[in-house]
Every structure is written in C-alpha cells, then in structure tokens.
Amino acid sequence: MKKGLLLPAGLLAAILAFCLWNSAAMTAHTARWREQLAEADRLAQAGDWEGTAAAIRACYDSWSARQTYLHIVTSHDAVDGAEAMYHRALAFAESHEDSELRAELADLRDQLRLLAEMEEFSVKNVL
C-alpha cells in the first residue's frame, strides 16, 4: 500500500471501529434501561407504587449519567423525547395512575429501542 493511503485507511478503520463500538454500547445501555422499566412495570402491576417510582428514578439516574454521550451520538429530539417520557412516567407513578403509567412505560421502552436502532451499524443507517 502506498504511504499516502495509510493515513486515510487508518482513519476509516478508526471510524469503523467507533461505529461498531457505539452500536454495541447503545444497544447495551438501552437494553439495561428497558429492563429496568420492565421491572417498574411489574412493580406497578403488583401495586407497589413506591417501588415503581424508585425503579423509575434509578433508571432515570442511569439515563442521566449518559446524557452527554447520548447528545453527542444520537438525535437531540429523540433524547429529549425520552427525557420527557421519563418525567411523565415518574409523575404517573407518584400519582398512582396505573393505565397511564403502563402506557407511558411501554412508549418509553419503545423510544429506547428506537434510540438503539438509530445507532445500529446497518445498511439502512449507512445509506
């Protein structure tokens, strides 16, 4: 390989490595958050409202710890939408609104799945 091509090839390899890492990291983070929200949903079904609110707060704290990363690598609108959903879910849990909470948690889990999908290293995301 010519010397002039080493730098561009190395740069492309670094970009590819970052894309693969980012995809795996986003998938792992969102899977963890979705599982935490599923646990909050199970607690709500059991009528444990304090446990439900605590589970949502714990998930939100984990989410908040990744805000800088999320705003760098993904759409601000998608992140802001999920942020609003977290706040609504917590408000529903604190007011013991079962059906509204369960619907909001389902929407939030779906939003998190979409966040991971947006960062997947796939043909549809590359083209």
Side-chain angles (χ1 to χ4, degrees):
M1 194 180 280
K2 292 183 178 183
K3 281 186 175 184
L5 293 179
L6 285 178
L7 181 61
L11 185 58
L12 285 175
I15 291 170
L16 175 62
F18 174 76
C19 289
L20 293 172
W21 171 83
N22 183 56
S23 177
M26 185 66 82
T27 299
H29 291 314
T30 57
R32 183 179 69 251
W33 297 326
R34 290 173 64 215
E35 181 54 40
Q36 289 174 312
L37 293 171
E39 177 61 22
D41 195 16
R42 285 189 286 276
L43 291 167
Q45 286 179 12
D48 182 358
W49 292 106
E50 290 175 15
T52 300
I56 294 170
R57 278 188 206 96
C59 186
Y60 180 74
D61 289 344
S62 177
W63 163 266
S64 293
R66 297 280 183 233
Q67 283 299 301
T68 301
Y69 165 73
L70 291 169
H71 279 284
I72 290 170
V73 300
T74 196
S75 163
H76 289 281
D77 290 339
V79 174
D80 293 343
E83 179 85 14
M85 289 177 184
Y86 269 110
H87 291 291
R88 283 192 302 269
L90 186 55
F92 289 140
E94 290 173 343
S95 63
H96 304 188
E97 298 287 338
D98 185 54
S99 60
E100 290 87 352
L101 171 64
R102 299 201 55 229
E104 194 67 36
L105 289 174
D107 288 346
L108 180 51
R109 287 192 310 265
D110 193 50
Q111 180 75 3
L112 294 172
R113 181 189 56 77
L114 291 173
L115 276 174
E117 228 176 69
M118 287 170 33
E119 296 306 315
E120 272 182 2
F121 188 69
S122 65
V123 172
K124 75 176 186 177
N125 284 342
V126 172
L127 297 179

